[in-house]
Amino acid sequence: MTDIVITEFMDEAAVATLKARYSVHHDPELFGKPDELATLVADIPALIVRNQTQVRGALLAGAKNLKVVGRLGVGLDNIDMEACSARAIQVFPATGANSLSVVEYVIGTAMTLLRGAYFANSAMIAGEFPKTKLIGREIAGKRMGLVGFGAIARDAARHARALGMTVAAYDPYVPAGDAWQGIEKLELDALLATSDVISIHLPLTPETRGLIGEAAFAKMKPDAILINAARGGIMDEAALVAALKGGCLGGAALDVFEQEPLKADGAKLFAGTPNLILTPHIAGNTVESNGRVSGLVAERVMAALEGRA
Ligand SMILES: NC(=O)c1ccc[n+]([C@@H]2O[C@H](COP(=O)([O-])OP(=O)(O)OC[C@H]3O[C@@H](n4cnc5c(N)ncnc54)[C@H](O)[C@@H]3O)[C@@H](O)[C@H]2O)c1
């Protein structure tokens, strides 16, 4: 009988650790095979997912013996937390384990967009040498505005300050005094209006859905850089495209999308948009973080199954 079903990719060393003690079914593509998944989860005590498996509705109802869900990442919007709590199913995210990767993505894309350097390849391959057109900006001395001031934003703040940036954040749920040392606490409008690099670090909730829309873009500096490596749906994609095409925004990096995976139809919206970096939800995903995330989740799931959690 299977003990643990893993529906998305997981670091092989962590899977081997689980296999040494349990019967494990690991199929990195299982999230896309709902009928097979429904059969496999019928009797299992533990399920391990990333963000493409929706742990809710019929899947959850059919997993009658489920005790533990391991989440290879931190966002919990693909898991019905209320239903899990009502059935005393423990949910273990990999809190903190991919934070550094997200922060390096934010800093890396911010530097790239400020320099405009990514734009050079196609021009140069076409025979241009745009030395004077591509005079970019330094990140030092700029203001980083963090929308949300939780775990990843705080790590981002540390890195940004180490690079000589000033840092402000908007998060009405973090009480004054707690962790704000050296970080300016601003209302959202003031943060949007004064930041050179705006990075979103919110969960997707009914309150945050659409928070960064047309009105928000209108408040930003016309040369500001916007980065969303949090969740699609927090930012209005059509409004972003309009801002970039209209010259009301300096550049943007999007790692997350309203519809994931982004398919050709949805991607058409972004065609011909200047100064835009698109990545397929990989900000938190590096060789190193995959090892940390998978190791942590394997350990937490085993601890829960063995009554040590
Ligand atoms: N792209 C990726 O690969 C990747 C990787 C890891 C995390 N993420 C996403 O990054 C986001 C942040 O992760 P985290 O670990 O820092 O989360 P966290 O829970 O530590 O922090 C979130 C912060 O948002 C604040 N917040 C909630 N609602 C708010 C609102 N309406 N207005 C302002 N602030 C609000 C909370 O008070 C909290 O401080 C999540 O959406 C997570 O899913 C993405």
Side-chain angles (χ1 to χ4, degrees):
M1 200 188 86
T2 306
D3 303 305
I4 305 172
V5 166
I6 308 167
T7 63
E8 302 181 50
F9 74 90
M10 185 170 183
D11 184 62
E12 281 308 326
V15 176
T17 305
L18 291 169
K19 281 185 173 168
R21 276 144 83 171
Y22 295 96
S23 163
V24 176
H25 182 98
H26 180 207
D27 175 356
E29 304 299 327
L30 190 57
F31 67 91
K33 305 169 187 168
D35 294 341
E36 190 182 340
L37 178 56
T39 308
L40 281 164
V41 299
D43 291 317
I44 52 160
L47 177 67
I48 298 180
V49 302
R50 277 187 188 269
N51 68 331
Q52 304 207 70
T53 313
Q54 293 299 318
V55 185
R56 60 178 83 252
L59 177 70
L60 208 45
K64 296 207 166 31
N65 294 327
L66 195 63
K67 299 277 176 289
V68 187
V69 177
R71 163 71 173 95
L72 297 160
V74 293
L76 295 173
D77 42 286
N78 60 317
I79 300 175
D80 184 340
M81 294 299 287
E82 265 182 43
C84 287
S85 163
R87 283 176 51 193
I89 297 170
Q90 292 176 286
V91 178
F92 294 109
T95 306
N98 62 6
S99 176
L100 180 61
S101 299
V102 177
V103 170
E104 290 192 1
Y105 175 92
V106 169
I107 300 289
T109 53
M111 282 180 158
T112 304
L113 287 160
L114 284 165
R115 283 305 276 263
Y118 67 95
F119 170 71
N121 273 20
S122 53
M124 292 185 73
I125 287 163
E128 290 180 43
F129 201 76
K131 187 174 164 66
T132 50
K133 272 197 219 159
L134 288 181
I135 297 176
R137 293 174 284 163
E138 294 175 346
I139 203 164
K142 301 295 181 298
R143 170 178 269 187
M144 170 75 86
L146 300 164
V147 185
F149 195 50
I152 295 174
R154 290 176 206 201
D155 260 2
R158 269 196 298 280
H159 283 74
R161 290 172 79 189
L163 288 166
M165 301 185 83
T166 57
V167 183
Y170 162 71
D171 192 328
Y173 299 106
V174 176
D178 173 61
W180 287 95
Q181 288 93 342
I183 311 296
E184 196 175 351
K185 189 173 195 238
L186 289 180
E187 289 306 316
L188 183 59
D189 285 359
L191 181 120
L192 297 177
T194 59
S195 298
D196 303 294
V197 177
I198 298 164
S199 190
I200 302 173
H201 297 285
L202 299 170
L204 178 63
T205 66
E207 196 189 352
T208 63
R209 184 174 285 282
L211 185 72
I212 306 298
E214 200 181 330
F217 286 113
K219 295 189 178 97
M220 294 177 197
K221 291 184 179 185
D223 60 357
I225 302 297
L226 178 84
I227 298 162
N228 186 9
R231 279 292 176 270
I234 298 170
M235 191 213 71
D236 183 323
E237 293 171 352
L240 172 88
V241 167
L244 286 168
K245 286 188 172 166
C248 312
L249 188 68
L254 295 189
D255 186 52
V256 288
F257 302 89
E258 278 168 31
Q259 288 295 322
E260 289 190 20
L262 184 65
K263 299 235 170 76
D265 256 9
K268 273 185 198 146
L269 171 68
F270 301 108
T273 306
N275 304 336
L276 177 63
I277 297 175
L278 301 177
T279 51
H281 203 143
I282 45 76
N285 235 337
T286 55
V287 172
E288 294 83 356
S289 75
N290 190 28
R292 288 192 299 268
V293 163
S294 299
L296 179 64
V297 169
E299 178 46 45
R300 297 189 81 182
V301 166
M302 287 192 298
L305 289 176
E306 290 156 22
R308 296 184 279 112

